Amino acid sequence: MKQEGKKHIWSNYQKEIAEDRYFYVRSCIRQTFFPGSENTFLKILREVLGKDVHESPNHTTCTGIGYHCEVVPFATTQTVVARNFALMRDAGYQNYTPSCVTSFGIYTEILDTWQHFPAEKEKTRAFLKQATGREFEEPNSLAHTSDIIYKFRNEIAQKAKYQLINSETGEPLKIVEHIGCHYAKMFPEKSVGGAEYPNVLAGMIDAWGGNVIDYPERRHCCGFGFRQYLIQANRGYSMSASKKKFESMEAYQPDFIITNCPGCNYFLDRWQYVLAETEQKTYGSNGYGIPVLTYEEVAGLVLGFDPWEMGMQMHQIDVEPLLKKMGIKYNASEKFKGPQGQELGLPEFPEHVKFTTQSDN
Amino acid sequence: MKDFGFSPMKNKVLNFDELNHDFHQWIAIQDSSFNLCIACGTCASTCSAGSYTHFSFRELCKDIRWGNAEKAMKESEKCMLCGKCSIACPRNINTRNIIKMVRKAAKTSPL
Amino acid sequence: MRKTVAIIGGGITGMEAAIQINKLGHTVHVFEKDEKLGGHVAQWDHVFPNQRKAREIINELTCQISEEINIHLSSFVEKISQIDDSFVIKSDNNELKADAIVLASGFELFSASKKEEYGYGIFENVITSVDLERMFVEKGHPFMRNGEIPQRIAFIHCVGSRDEKVKRTYCSKVCCITAVKQAIEVKESIPEASVYNLYMDLRMFGPGYEDMYQKAQQKGITFIRGRLSEASEVENNRILIKTEDTLSSRPIKMTVDLIVLMIGISPSLANNQILSDLKLEPNKDGFAEIADDHLSPTHSKVKGVFIAGACTGPCSITDAINASRSASVEVHHYLNQV
């Protein structure tokens, strides 16, 4: 693998990312899947980097899931998106930053549509006015929140308490990076690094001391795909796609997987549990799975945030072996306590993939 | 084992690295014209057996090439040995002889 | 009265035109941007359809370049302007007035890194047909980056040809037969190696081409009808490739030591400036446009400007020499009329 070759390709996929004053829009599903990640992003931006980030309680879905499942017509999607743009305008912001990769794809697709078919934009303007009385403007810049963390990766590295290094051996951690399809596969030129050799997560890993693993099925689908998992009968298909990736990466003994997409994160994490329970097969070391982290969680760990405050106990695949590997100081007894220290009770533990319980510590 | 109502599916991609090329090599030694096939399908379109059964010499060649010896042996039984394909083949492949070699292999297990 | 002809490009097309036009009694000036004549062919080890040494062709042409022919090496043509019936050719170290121009400025090789999914420039055992030819010149056989002799080699046809994604919709014409030629040479230099050719169609249109294809089959080279979808690097920097065997409708994956990308012929960027100076439009593929598909294959649409060889589109050495001679005769007739 020649690094210069990758850098050459990356030079073709650079994008303008705004410096400050972001209009932040949350994902529909992330808050239930990995509830601490979005708060971690806000904490990093506001408290660590001192940026101005605005959220509107009136923000709605982008309709992405419905749109891709062909239950929401495109005209509706455009109007809903226009309404979200209108909220940004009303709040006095211009830099739109969605947390969800599918939303990022939707916004990119619509801005591209409006550029090529201005009549669609005018139609949307009329619909929005008629339905809500609102008016909108296109954002000055559109960046996925992983783009923003990428932009400030070196600042984060300067303030790092921990590095992506195995504290026992001193070796860089071996990390699989996986980007969401809607981040770069639809509009590679709107991403950092393109779709074939994406740099958005690789750049973070590099800045924070880890090593990116290149494994043969790195491009393969994570198994999310709306058409794959929404219908139960298709879920074997979804799981098989994830399995293909795990089998391919297993030989490289990754310490963890980092993703920038709600779906990739969820399915790479949850399917490892289902595969363990149906096939008694685990892909990490010593009967554990391979932890799957969001980029916000990784940034948070590097900055020394408390893993339980970031909601990392919500992962199906246990993260404690990774925390120990990185030499992170954390309180094991608070894993299943609420933010005010209240007991939340213990989850049901899986049978065939190890999960650290308090008695192990 | 938990039942989730779905399970992983079998991967149908042909892994070339795991194919057994012995049978193909043996056939190519018995009749060196074997490798000259260009998959034009002339043999299959003129085949007397192929009109009534699912039999294609072109497919048989693929089975041999991709290490599917058992299937090739079974398929070869469908041939009537009329030799029409040998007359038609533009690459002059000795198709009839190749069928006979496959049948011979089925009887004598040379590998 | 002796007339002056400027030939842009000193590859085989330009060399042949210079020889012929000089024989027809005109003063010839050849402008070549490189330090020596011979163009792409000079980089090649052996050529199809008879595995002849490329050097022989260049040497034979060089021997025929008489002292009367003016060769300007390292002369990149910067601007051409037309004044009535004559042309002023300005290169970085020369200025010349000519009565006619033969555009023989050739082609560029398709840049393989544009097919990002094939990993050229990223995976060390992904090479191009040109790199392979260089390996033959250097060592007489292909080798992996770590110096080892590859045991499994796959040729990937149509890289930068017949591909909307990289805006090369045309067939580059010479890569199929080159792949067959190179596959044979690989097999001859490493007899125990397994050699695979992944093709969409095998376009064996020229004399002797089909014979070479048969020869390759006889040598046990495997032809798989399917286009490479993506390549990945696996252990020991070997390459995992994926295609479909379209003849049995099965997706295939296989690991090889080396893949050779058969890069196509692309229009030369430097040509665009010359074409626009001469008020000529490139054709839809970006090459110099000939005046009539059937009857004027070496005329451009501008009087006094003739075109030949790979600047008009993909062509073999034989095609280039034919076009060159045709252009020379047309130049001669034209100059006698003016």
Side-chain angles (χ1 to χ4, degrees):
Chain A
M1 181 80 46
K2 295 184 250 174
Q3 205 59 23
E4 333 78 87
K6 276 196 185 180
K7 281 183 184 149
H8 172 73
I9 291 203
W10 290 340
S11 65
N12 298 328
Y13 299 100
Q14 290 300 318
K15 66 187 268 187
E16 286 282 318
I17 303 167
E19 189 68 42
D20 201 352
R21 291 185 53 75
Y22 307 107
F23 186 78
Y24 181 61
V25 290
R26 290 184 185 242
S27 149
C28 302
I29 53 179
R30 292 190 81 198
Q31 289 158 80
T32 38
F33 289 178
F34 300 100
S37 286
E38 295 192 328
N39 271 346
T40 302
F41 175 80
L42 292 173
K43 188 170 158 187
I44 293 172
L45 270 268
R46 286 174 177 153
E47 292 172 26
V48 179
L49 301 167
K51 302 291 175 186
D52 173 6
V53 189
H54 183 81
E55 272 198 280
S56 165
N58 294 328
H59 161 250
T60 67
T61 171
C62 70
T63 77
I65 295 179
Y67 171 63
H68 289 297
C69 293
E70 294 178 69
V71 294
V72 175
F74 191 42
T76 309
T77 298
Q78 290 183 75
T79 312
V80 172
V81 162
R83 182 184 165 278
N84 285 335
F85 286 160
L87 297 178
M88 175 180 68
R89 190 194 81 140
D90 296 349
Y93 286 79
Q94 288 170 328
N95 305 321
Y96 204 82
T97 51
S99 148
C100 171
V101 150
T102 287
S103 297
F104 176 73
I106 289 275
Y107 295 123
T108 309
E109 184 179 337
I110 286 175
L111 291 175
D112 192 75
T113 304
W114 289 348
Q115 193 190 332
H116 291 98
F117 305 96
E120 285 291 313
K121 185 174 169 183
E122 291 320 306
K123 212 167 68 185
T124 305
R125 204 181 286 288
F127 287 157
L128 184 70
K129 185 84 183 164
Q130 197 185 349
T132 67
R134 288 179 190 272
E135 284 178 17
F136 73 95
E137 274 165 27
E138 284 185 18
N140 269 0
S141 88
L142 172 67
H144 184 247
T145 44
S146 63
D147 292 332
I148 297 178
I149 296 289
Y150 170 84
K151 183 181 174 74
F152 297 116
R153 67 197 185 285
N154 295 324
E155 283 82 345
I156 291 172
Q158 277 164 17
K159 295 174 197 249
K161 284 220 175 88
Y162 300 99
Q163 281 193 300
L164 301 178
I165 284 178
N166 185 322
S167 62
E168 280 167 28
T169 64
E171 293 287 316
L173 294 180
K174 290 173 288 192
I175 302 159
V176 160
E177 53 89 29
H178 183 88
I179 55 154
C181 295
H182 295 176
Y183 173 70
K185 284 181 195 160
M186 298 194 295
F187 296 91
E189 67 281 7
K190 303 285 183 198
S191 72
V192 176
E196 285 294 334
Y197 308 93
N199 189 22
V200 62
L201 299 173
M204 295 179 204
I205 296 170
D206 200 36
W208 303 336
N211 264 355
V212 176
I213 288 178
D214 268 291
Y215 62 109
E217 295 298 350
R218 67 192 157 79
R219 306 173 177 93
H220 195 74
C221 172
C222 68
F224 182 53
F226 300 127
R227 282 161 222 265
Q228 296 173 23
Y229 79 91
L230 281 178
I231 298 167
Q232 193 188 21
N234 279 358
R235 284 184 196 155
Y237 185 91
S238 164
M239 189 160 65
S240 306
S242 306
K243 185 181 164 183
K244 187 170 175 178
K245 287 185 81 71
F246 297 136
E247 283 177 345
S248 175
M249 70 177 77
E250 190 182 11
Y252 299 81
Q253 300 176 314
D255 293 302
F256 71 90
I257 301 169
I258 180 173
T259 84
N260 73 344
C261 169
C264 304
N265 223 91
Y266 187 75
F267 281 88
L268 291 173
D269 185 55
R270 300 315 199 251
W271 281 153
Q272 284 192 68
Y273 154 73
V274 179
L275 284 166
E277 299 296 48
T278 50
E279 301 196 319
Q280 284 85 57
K281 170 73 190 160
T282 50
Y283 295 92
S285 52
N286 308 324
Y288 283 93
I290 308 167
V292 187
L293 274 56
T294 67
Y295 56 94
E296 295 106 324
E297 288 169 343
V298 178
L301 288 182
V302 163
L303 289 166
F305 291 7
D306 179 57
W308 311 144
E309 205 185 305
M310 290 197 286
M312 292 183 75
Q313 63 279 58
M314 294 297 284
H315 290 235
Q316 193 85 53
I317 296 302
D318 192 24
V319 296
E320 280 195 63
L322 172 68
L323 302 180
K324 286 175 190 154
K325 215 179 270 178
M326 285 177 67
I328 288 174
K329 296 202 171 40
Y330 68 97
N331 191 341
S333 64
E334 286 179 5
K335 189 169 182 178
F336 297 111
K337 283 184 180 161
Q340 276 81 44
Q342 70 275 38
E343 288 292 344
L344 296 177
L346 288 181
E348 191 183 323
F349 291 105
E351 266 180 66
H352 298 287
V353 55
K354 275 200 202 165
F355 198 96
T356 316
T357 55
Q358 267 153 289
S359 55
D360 296 328
N361 282 304
Chain B
M1 199 173 110
K2 282 196 176 67
D3 181 12
F4 293 90
F6 51 89
S7 52
M9 296 148 93
K10 199 173 172 301
N11 195 332
K12 69 179 273 284
V13 174
L14 191 67
N15 189 342
F16 207 87
D17 301 345
E18 290 167 2
L19 297 186
N20 184 343
H21 299 285
D22 297 347
F23 188 57
H24 170 209
Q25 277 163 7
W26 184 81
I27 290 282
I29 291 166
Q30 307 309 304
D31 195 318
S32 61
S33 70
F34 177 81
N35 280 340
L36 298 180
C37 177
I38 52 171
C40 68
T42 311
C43 51
S45 67
T46 194
C47 179
S48 30
S51 308
Y52 311 107
T53 61
H54 184 87
F55 176 67
S56 154
F57 183 79
R58 182 186 61 77
E59 276 187 28
L60 187 86
C61 286
K62 273 286 155 195
D63 290 334
I64 295 169
R65 203 170 259 286
W66 292 166
N68 213 341
E70 251 171 61
K71 187 172 169 231
M73 289 173 192
K74 203 163 161 24
E75 284 293 306
S76 73
E77 289 166 10
K78 293 180 185 166
C79 172
M80 300 290 175
L81 289 176
C82 74
K84 224 170 144 204
C85 51
S86 298
I87 298 171
C89 177
R91 284 288 215 196
N92 225 0
I93 297 171
N94 198 343
T95 51
R96 194 167 177 273
N97 186 46
I98 287 163
I99 298 265
K100 287 173 79 177
M101 289 303 130
V102 175
R103 289 185 179 182
K104 183 178 161 193
K107 279 202 192 115
T108 59
S109 315
L111 296 171
Chain C
M1 200 188 104
R2 254 179 112 81
K3 297 277 174 68
T4 301
V5 180
I7 297 174
I8 319 291
I12 53 160
T13 307
M15 290 170 86
E16 178 66 21
I19 294 161
Q20 297 300 336
I21 295 169
N22 175 250
K23 277 187 195 165
L24 291 165
H26 308 287
T27 302
V28 176
H29 288 261
V30 178
F31 292 87
E32 168 54 47
K33 66 181 182 337
D34 282 347
E35 295 161 357
K36 57 181 176 45
L37 296 175
H40 289 279
V41 176
Q43 316 284 318
W44 230 248
D45 189 26
H46 289 90
V47 296
F48 62 81
N50 50 9
Q51 288 169 273
R52 179 190 198 173
K53 274 268 175 202
R55 206 61 253 166
E56 264 180 43
I57 294 167
I58 302 296
N59 287 347
E60 282 189 29
L61 288 173
T62 311
C63 288
Q64 293 180 61
I65 302 255
S66 78
E67 285 189 7
E68 286 175 9
I69 297 172
N70 305 287
I71 307 278
H72 308 283
L73 295 174
S74 306
S75 296
F76 182 79
V77 172
E78 283 173 344
K79 195 165 177 55
I80 301 180
S81 28
Q82 190 169 8
I83 304 157
D84 301 326
D85 276 345
S86 58
F87 303 91
V88 177
I89 293 101
K90 203 179 159 307
S91 76
D92 35 16
N93 49 24
N94 208 312
E95 198 171 301
L96 175 87
K97 199 170 169 214
D99 302 298
I101 287 180
V102 177
L103 196 56
S105 46
F107 65 99
E108 275 175 22
L109 288 156
F110 176 73
S111 165
S113 57
K114 286 204 175 96
K115 289 296 289 177
E116 290 176 18
E117 61 273 36
Y118 295 174
Y120 183 71
I122 293 183
F123 306 142
E124 58 181 46
N125 290 313
V126 177
I127 63 169
T128 66
S129 41
V130 178
D131 298 332
L132 177 62
E133 212 62 32
R134 214 168 285 141
M135 287 179 177
F136 279 124
V137 173
E138 242 179 79
K139 292 196 175 163
H141 61 79
F143 47 89
M144 295 167 74
R145 177 64 78 88
N146 65 8
E148 283 176 22
I149 309 271
Q151 295 303 312
R152 280 157 75 96
I153 299 110
F155 285 86
I156 313 301
H157 290 228
C158 296
V159 177
S161 300
R162 304 176 70 193
D163 187 347
E164 298 269 358
K165 282 280 154 56
V166 290
K167 300 186 174 65
R168 304 289 191 283
T169 53
Y170 54 87
C171 165
S172 287
K173 207 170 164 183
V174 293
C175 341
C176 274
I177 180 63
T178 303
V180 168
K181 178 202 80 105
Q182 291 187 331
I184 291 172
E185 287 166 349
V186 167
K187 192 74 183 163
E188 284 172 347
S189 65
I190 316 170
E192 72 279 13
S194 304
V195 181
Y196 307 96
N197 281 49
L198 274 61
Y199 69 98
M200 297 202 288
D201 299 298
L202 283 170
R203 298 190 162 177
M204 299 287 128
F205 58 90
Y209 295 10
E210 192 69 20
D211 298 337
M212 282 195 96
Y213 172 31
Q214 272 209 37
K215 183 177 170 188
Q217 288 181 309
Q218 273 156 355
K219 285 185 173 291
I221 291 157
T222 303
F223 288 84
I224 299 173
R225 183 164 161 261
R227 193 183 173 103
L228 178 67
S229 60
E230 58 187 34
S232 316
E233 199 172 54
V234 295
E235 308 91 287
N236 306 322
N237 300 325
R238 300 178 76 213
I239 308 294
L240 176 78
I241 55 178
K242 293 181 186 172
T243 187
E244 186 194 11
D245 172 29
T246 58
L247 296 173
S248 53
S249 305
R250 287 283 298 275
I252 290 186
K253 63 173 181 179
M254 65 196 294
T255 318
V256 294
D257 299 328
L258 193 68
I259 68 172
V260 183
L261 307 178
M262 301 309 302
I263 44 175
I265 285 179
S266 287
S268 135
L269 282 178
N271 244 357
N272 288 347
Q273 180 59 43
I274 297 175
L275 292 180
S276 91
D277 284 355
L278 292 166
K279 305 197 168 45
L280 283 168
E281 288 284 328
N283 68 16
K284 77 169 232 322
D285 296 328
F287 293 99
E289 189 165 36
I290 55 177
D292 182 292
D293 281 336
H294 305 105
L295 299 172
S296 304
T298 51
H299 281 85
S300 77
K301 285 183 175 160
V302 171
K303 232 173 64 173
V305 178
F306 299 83
I307 48 179
C311 70
T312 65
C315 70
S316 68
I317 294 173
T318 318
D319 294 340
I321 297 293
N322 275 338
S324 214
R325 290 188 186 168
S326 156
S328 304
V329 173
E330 298 295 346
V331 167
H332 183 59
H333 291 324
Y334 169 76
L335 293 177
N336 285 347
Q337 280 164 18
V338 181

